[in-house]
Amino acid sequence: MSVESPHATPATEPQPVIVPSRRGIARAASIISLGNIASRVLGLVRETAFANAFGASGAFSAFTAAAQIPMMIHDMLIGGLLSSALVPVFSEQTDDRETLWRIVSVVLGTTVVLVSLAVLLVELLAPWLTGLLVGGFSAELQALTTQLIRLVTPAVLLLSVAGVLTGLLYALKRFTFAAFGAAVYNIGMIVGAVWLTRFFDEPHRIYALALGMLLGAAGQVLLLLPDLRDQRVRLALDWRHPVLRHIGKLYLPIALGLVISHIGIFIDRNLASGTGEQSISWMRYATTLIQFPLGLIAAAVSLAVLPNLSQLASRQQLEAYRQTLFTGLRLVLVLILPATAGLFVLAHPIVALLFQRGEFTAYDTEWTARALRWYLLGLPFAAIDQPLVFGFYARQNTTVPALVGAIAVGMYTVIAISFVKTYGMLALVAANSIQWMGHAFIMLWLTRRHVGSFRASGLLTTVLKAGVASCIMAASVALVLAWLTSLLPASLVGRLLVVALPALAGVGVYAVMVWMVRLDEARAAIGLVWQKMRK
C-alpha cells in the first residue's frame, strides 16, 4: 500500500530508507517516560491526598463527574487533535520554520476562540449536563455537581493552549518540558487538596479542588514557555488558511469518534451514579492505578515513535515505517505484561498503601481493588492499542480509528446495560475491559491489512516470551506477598514493605527471565536505563 501525504513534496531522486534506531526510539521514550513517571507519581500523591481528605464520598464523586466536562472539551478540541493531526502536520513543516510559525499561530488563535465559546456554552448548560452525567445522584449532589462544573470548566482554555504548544514541541522533538506538563498540573491539584482546603469550611471544602485544577492548568502553560523562547508563535486568526482545512479534514472523523466515545462516558457515569454514590470514586481510584503503566509505557512509546512514523509516512518509506511500528509494539509488550501481572497480584496491598487513611476506609480498599483487577484484564490490550492508533494517525488516516472507536463504544454500552442491574459497578468495569480488548483486536486486524503480514514482526514471539516471564514473575510475587503478609504489622511501614519487597522480587525475577529468553527490546531498554544511571 502506498503512503501519501497531501503536503508531500515530490522527490527529485530516490530517498534513502532511514529506519529510526531502536535505541533512538527508546531514548525519546525514556525522556517522555521520565515526565510520565513524575506525572504518575504525583498523580498517585494527588489521589492519596484526595482519599485522605474526601475518601469515596458523594461530594468527591460529584467533583469527579464535574471535572469530566472540561476534560471532554479538551479531548474533543485538542486531546485527540494532538496525536491525530497536530504532530503529523507540524512535523511535515519542521524544515521550513517560517511556515511552521505561521501555521502554529493560526492554530493557536483558532483554538482560543473555539474553546472560549465552548466554555461559555457549558456555563449556560451546566444544570442540563449534570442531569445527563449523574442523573442517579440525589438532588443535593446534582446541585453541587452543577456548581463544580461552572468552577472547573475555564481550566480547559489553559489546557488547550498547552496542548497546541505541546504539539509544536513534539514535532520539533523537544520532549523535556512538554513531558513534564502533566506533572505540574498534578502539583496544582495537590496544592488544592492539601493547602487550599484549609480556607474552606466543611460543606465547601470540595471547592478547593476546583481552584487547584485551575492552578495546575496555568502552571502547565508556564512550564512550556522556556522551550519556546526561540519560537515566533503568536495568536493569529485566518479562517481561510489551508492548514485549518487540512487539519479539519484529518480531525473530523476523530471528532465524530470522540463524540461517540464521550456519549459512552456519559452512559458510564450515569449508570455508575445509579449503583451508589461511592461507585464513581472507587472507579476513579482504580483508573488512576491503571493510568500509571499506560502513561509510563504505552503513551511514552507511542509519542516517541509518532514523529518518526509521520516523517516516514510522508516520505513513503513503508518498510521503515513497518519496522518502526513493530519496534514500538514489541517495546510496549515487554513492559506492559509484567506490569499487569504485578499489579494484579498486588492490587489489594497497593490500594491499601496508597489510599487507606483518613476518610478512605478498608471497605473502600476492598471495592477499589476489585475494580482494579477487572480493569487489569483489559490493560495489555489498551496498551498495544495506542501505538496501533498512532500508526494510522501518522499516515494521516483518522477515519479508521474513529470508526473502530465507535464500534468499541457500542460493545461497551450493550454489555454494561445488560449486566449493570445484576452486578452493579463491576459490570461497568468489566465492560470497559472488554471494550479495550475488542478495540485492540480490530486495530490489529486492520493494521495487518494496511501494512502487510506480521510474520516478520516478532510480535508473537515477544508475547510468548514476555508472557511466560510475566507468569513466573507473578508467581514469585505472590509467594513473597503471602510470606510477608503473615509477618508484618498493618502499620504504614508494614504496608510499604508488603508492596515494595514483593515488587522488587518481581523486578529481579523478570530481569533474569529477560536475559534467559533473550527479549531484545527489554534488554535494550534496561541497558539504556543502566547507562543513564551510570552517568
Side-chain angles (χ1 to χ4, degrees):
M1 172 184 173
S2 62
V3 180
E4 299 179 353
S5 164
H7 295 309
T9 302
T12 57
E13 58 183 9
Q15 297 184 17
V17 176
I18 303 173
V19 182
S21 69
R22 181 167 54 201
R23 182 170 294 275
I25 293 174
R27 183 178 296 109
S30 68
I31 294 173
I32 299 173
S33 291
L34 288 175
N36 279 329
I37 289 171
S39 171
R40 302 304 169 178
V41 169
L42 288 169
L44 290 177
V45 174
R46 176 198 69 202
E47 297 301 312
T48 300
F50 289 171
N52 182 65
F54 301 101
S57 64
F60 185 66
S61 291
F63 171 77
T64 298
Q68 195 73 55
I69 298 298
M71 292 300 101
M72 285 181 178
I73 298 173
H74 179 266
D75 289 345
M76 284 290 298
L77 297 180
I78 294 297
L81 191 66
L82 178 64
S83 54
S84 65
L86 291 188
V87 175
V89 170
F90 291 169
S91 296
E92 289 182 345
Q93 305 296 336
T94 52
D95 293 333
D96 184 355
R97 294 302 172 91
E98 291 298 327
T99 301
L100 178 62
W101 308 153
R102 177 59 183 170
I103 287 174
V104 175
S105 298
V106 170
V107 171
L108 189 61
T110 304
T111 297
V112 169
V113 172
L114 292 179
V115 174
S116 298
L117 292 174
V119 169
L120 179 60
L121 188 62
V122 168
E123 297 292 332
L124 295 174
L125 298 178
W128 181 75
L129 291 172
T130 296
L132 286 178
L133 195 60
V134 288
F137 277 174
S138 65
E140 182 182 359
L141 277 182
Q142 287 195 45
L144 176 60
T145 304
T146 298
Q147 294 174 342
L148 289 170
I149 287 174
R150 286 174 168 154
L151 283 173
V152 300
T153 297
V156 74
L157 182 58
L158 295 167
L159 292 173
S160 298
V161 170
V164 175
L165 298 179
T166 297
L168 170 61
L169 292 176
Y170 278 143
L172 295 172
K173 299 182 181 180
R174 299 181 182 181
F175 298 109
T176 304
F177 283 98
F180 287 89
V184 172
Y185 175 78
N186 283 331
I187 290 173
M189 297 290 287
I190 292 168
V191 169
V194 175
W195 184 61
L196 293 180
T197 49
R198 302 177 182 180
F199 299 96
F200 293 86
D201 56 18
E202 184 58 37
H204 305 100
R205 291 174 68 239
I206 197 69
Y207 295 142
L209 299 188
L211 295 180
M213 190 171 177
L214 292 167
L215 183 63
Q220 192 169 7
V221 175
L222 294 175
L223 178 70
L224 301 177
L225 298 183
D227 231 357
L228 294 165
R229 58 187 179 276
D230 60 337
Q231 314 303 311
R232 295 193 295 276
V233 177
R234 303 288 185 271
L235 290 180
L237 288 177
D238 184 355
W239 302 104
R240 297 182 178 180
H241 197 290
V243 76
L244 293 181
R245 290 195 297 272
H246 179 48
I247 290 175
K249 181 180 178 181
L250 289 174
Y251 188 56
L252 181 60
I254 297 297
L256 295 176
L258 284 171
V259 168
I260 296 173
S261 175
H262 289 319
I263 289 174
I265 293 174
F266 270 92
I267 294 172
D268 177 74
R269 290 291 182 263
N270 198 291
L271 291 173
S273 70
T275 61
E277 65 179 33
Q278 294 172 304
S279 295
I280 292 178
S281 297
W282 290 332
M283 293 166 69
R284 176 195 175 106
Y285 290 123
T287 301
T288 298
L289 295 174
I290 287 292
Q291 292 298 326
F292 193 92
L294 270 180
L296 185 62
I297 298 168
V301 173
S302 300
L303 287 171
V305 301
L306 179 58
N308 290 323
L309 289 174
S310 299
Q311 291 173 356
L312 293 170
S314 67
R315 297 168 185 165
Q316 302 185 36
Q317 296 179 352
L318 182 57
E319 183 56 33
Y321 171 94
R322 282 164 41 87
Q323 294 180 33
T324 302
L325 178 60
F326 291 154
T327 296
L329 287 171
R330 292 195 301 269
L331 190 57
V332 167
L333 284 169
V334 300
L335 296 174
I336 202 65
L337 290 177
T340 302
L343 271 174
F344 193 91
V345 175
L346 295 173
H348 193 281
I350 286 177
V351 173
L353 171 65
L354 294 175
F355 304 134
Q356 191 174 314
R357 58 180 56 82
E359 298 296 320
F360 197 95
T361 66
Y363 182 73
D364 297 323
T365 294
E366 179 63 31
W367 278 98
T368 301
R370 290 182 187 180
L372 174 59
R373 287 196 171 106
W374 280 99
Y375 276 131
L376 285 168
L377 298 179
L379 177 59
F381 300 93
I384 64 169
D385 208 33
Q386 291 194 29
L388 293 172
V389 170
F390 279 28
F392 278 86
Y393 290 168
R395 300 200 326 274
Q396 302 194 9
N397 182 341
T398 56
T399 303
V400 167
L403 292 174
V404 177
I407 294 171
V409 169
M411 293 171 55
Y412 165 82
T413 303
V414 170
I415 296 170
I417 293 176
S418 300
F419 294 99
V420 67
K421 289 185 178 180
T422 305
Y423 298 103
M425 176 199 71
L426 294 181
L428 307 180
V429 179
N432 209 329
S433 286
I434 295 172
Q435 175 187 352
W436 293 341
M437 294 177 189
H439 197 289
F441 279 123
I442 295 173
M443 289 302 300
L444 281 168
W445 178 71
L446 291 172
T447 298
R448 183 181 179 277
R449 288 177 58 88
H450 282 78
V451 305
S453 174
F454 283 6
R455 289 182 180 178
S457 67
L459 291 176
L460 181 58
T461 301
T462 299
V463 169
L464 292 175
K465 290 181 177 181
V468 170
S470 298
C471 289
I472 294 173
M473 181 213 74
S476 67
V477 170
L479 288 173
V480 176
L481 176 63
W483 175 60
L484 289 175
T485 301
S486 61
L487 294 178
L488 296 174
S491 62
L492 178 59
V493 174
R495 289 178 182 173
L496 178 60
L497 292 176
V498 163
V499 171
L501 294 180
L504 289 174
V507 170
V509 170
Y510 190 72
V512 171
M513 294 300 301
V514 160
W515 287 100
M516 290 179 63
V517 301
R518 302 185 65 83
L519 270 170
D520 293 336
E521 276 65 34
R523 294 168 73 176
I526 292 171
L528 181 63
V529 171
W530 175 249
Q531 286 183 11
K532 289 185 177 294
M533 289 175 63
R534 291 181 63 185
K535 291 180 181 179

